[in-house]
Each structure stands twice: as C-alpha cells, then as structure tokens.
Amino acid sequence: MSLDQPDQKVKSQTLTHDAFLGGRLTVSQPRNGFRAGLDSVLLGAAVRIGTQTLLDLGAGVGAAGLVALAHDDGLSATLVERDAQMLALAEANIEANGFTTRARTILLDVTAKGAERSAAGLGSDSYGAVIANPPFFDAAAGTRAAAPRADARHMDEGALDLWVRTAATSAAPGGEIVFVYPAAGLGPLLAAFDQRFGAITILPLCPRPGEPASRVLARAVKGSRAPLTLLASRPIHADAGRAFTPEFDAILKGMVRLDW
C-alpha cells in the first residue's frame, strides 16, 4: 500500500511513504531508483528469534532493519549506509516508526578497510546477526548505463567478497549472517561464504511453481563447521497472476517470520 505524499526531508528527491507489514511500518523512500520491497521484508523477517544485536549493511532507507525491529521488541540495530541522503531517510524512518531508542546509524562504505570501519564506530565480533542485500555484479551484463543511485544495485567485480568480509568481521562468534542475492550470483556468494563460515543454508526463491529461482537467501554461522544445506525452492507467487502464496502473503503482512 502506498501512502504517497510530498516530502522535503531529502533535497531534490520525490519521496513516497509506503506501508510495510500490513501497515505496522511506514517507510519513506525515493520514488525513482532502487526501492525497498519484498527483498527487504524477507531479509528482516529472516533474523532468528531472540537475536539481541543486528547489523544491517548497506541499509539504504532502513527497511530491512525496521522489519527486524518490528518483529522483535528485544532487538537493537545498527544501520550502515554510505549514501548520506539515504542515511538521512533511514534516520527519519527510525524516528517515524518509534525506534530511536533501539537503532543507530553509521555513514560508512561497507567495503572500507578495517581501520576506517573501526573509526566510524562499527565494532568487530559485536553483532548477533548481520544482514545485507548487496549490489549485484553481473559479468555477462557488460558496462551498466549511468542512472541515479545505480550503485545501489551494481558494484565492481570482487566487491561482494568485501561485503562478506565486513559481515564476518562484524558478527559475534556464533552469530548468523544472512544475505539476499540474485540466484545468478549464487556462485561467488557461496564461495565468499564458504571461506569464512559454516552451517551455510541456501533457500532458493522462485517466482512461481516450476520456474527457475530468481533470488536466494543465504544464511551462515560464524565459527561453525557444520556442512551446507540446500533447501527446496519456494514459490513466491501462486500459479497465475500476481497473488502471493499464503506463506509469503503472511510474511509480507507481518503475521509470521520467514520459517527456514
């Protein structure tokens, strides 16, 4: 449900005010460019019950972190974003949804070196869960055209490993790491995870029954030696039309978390 209104909080941006989790959250975000939606809800709903500290890498306007906070009253969150305008929106969304005592923000490039991350206030071995929806590098796509905030969805080859490195450094021992990523990029994502984590679980998500997976959720545990688990693919939509399956309809409405 869209609650579109003009807003002057972010200069030169036309914003929409969108309802998430059946209206429990309202998220302000730019009308054009990358927009938080299904992936953000799934990412926030994938965090384990009972997690106390959450790090959202590349948080954008904060939707995934806000979803996680809405699901768990005992959770506190740190949202990291390198775009100052997006971070300003994340801060406004934190305030608008009543999470100012449970969330903070850091202006930082996720791929920054350790000393820079530490100076910005991003601790090592600190978070019970680290989540991310990183940009996607597609070698087959060639050079991308310039577009506003295009870097929110694209990055240079090799940068994905730096995102995983930051997640590994930031997570506490035994902490979980959850990424949502295009299925076409599973190879490099799995390689980066396998170098650093155990208990890797891959959940493929397909648009409809019988169709190839379009995205994956990847979860791992820092310090674990457990083997990889590949789950069965789950359809997001029913056989025809745009209606969601009962499972994903309930997740989008905030009735349940993601069960995996």
Side-chain angles (χ1 to χ4, degrees):
M1 176 180 179
S2 179
L3 309 173
D4 299 358
Q5 301 175 28
D7 196 304
Q8 301 299 320
K9 284 186 179 293
V10 179
K11 186 178 179 181
S12 75
Q13 287 287 324
T14 300
L15 303 181
T16 64
H17 303 265
D18 302 303
F20 284 72
L21 302 186
R24 290 166 59 190
L25 296 175
T26 300
V27 175
S28 297
Q29 57 182 329
R31 183 184 299 276
N32 300 316
F34 173 71
R35 289 171 54 79
L38 174 64
D39 286 353
S40 298
V41 174
L42 294 178
L43 195 56
V47 178
R48 289 183 299 193
I49 296 173
T51 300
Q52 295 183 340
T53 52
L54 172 71
L55 175 62
D56 185 357
L57 295 175
V61 299
L66 293 173
V67 167
L69 288 168
H71 274 297
D72 194 336
D73 292 340
L75 181 68
S76 63
T78 298
L79 279 59
V80 172
E81 171 57 45
R82 74 175 186 177
D83 186 308
Q85 290 194 347
M86 292 300 99
L87 197 67
L89 279 173
E91 291 168 349
N93 288 328
I94 288 169
E95 181 177 1
N97 288 283
F99 293 134
T100 54
T101 62
R102 296 170 52 203
R104 69 182 183 116
T105 63
I106 297 177
L107 181 64
L108 179 69
D109 189 331
V110 172
T111 65
K113 295 182 178 179
E116 186 177 349
R117 299 198 307 269
S118 179
L122 182 58
S124 300
D125 300 316
S126 300
Y127 298 93
V130 180
I131 61 174
N133 179 11
F136 174 54
F137 174 81
D138 183 358
T143 303
R144 61 187 172 94
R149 312 219 176 276
D151 58 355
R153 294 292 358 124
H154 299 272
M155 63 182 172
D156 294 334
E157 185 176 12
L160 176 61
D161 190 74
L162 299 180
W163 278 66
V164 179
R165 177 203 65 183
T166 297
T169 302
S170 303
E176 71 169 354
I177 297 87
V178 182
F179 279 37
V180 61
Y181 208 59
L186 177 58
L189 179 64
L190 187 56
F193 268 42
D194 192 52
Q195 292 178 31
R196 299 174 173 92
F197 312 124
I200 300 171
T201 301
I202 303 297
L203 174 59
L205 301 173
C206 60
R208 290 173 180 81
E211 295 183 359
S214 58
R215 55 170 61 81
V216 295
L217 279 161
R219 180 173 64 193
V221 177
K222 182 175 178 176
S224 173
R225 294 178 178 272
L228 178 144
T229 300
L230 177 61
L231 300 176
S233 183
R234 297 187 193 174
I236 294 171
H237 298 284
D239 288 329
R242 298 179 58 86
F244 290 99
T245 62
E247 175 188 10
F248 287 99
D249 186 59
I251 292 170
L252 287 168
K253 290 178 179 176
M255 299 166 60
V256 297
R257 295 190 185 209
L258 181 66
D259 180 15
W260 66 319

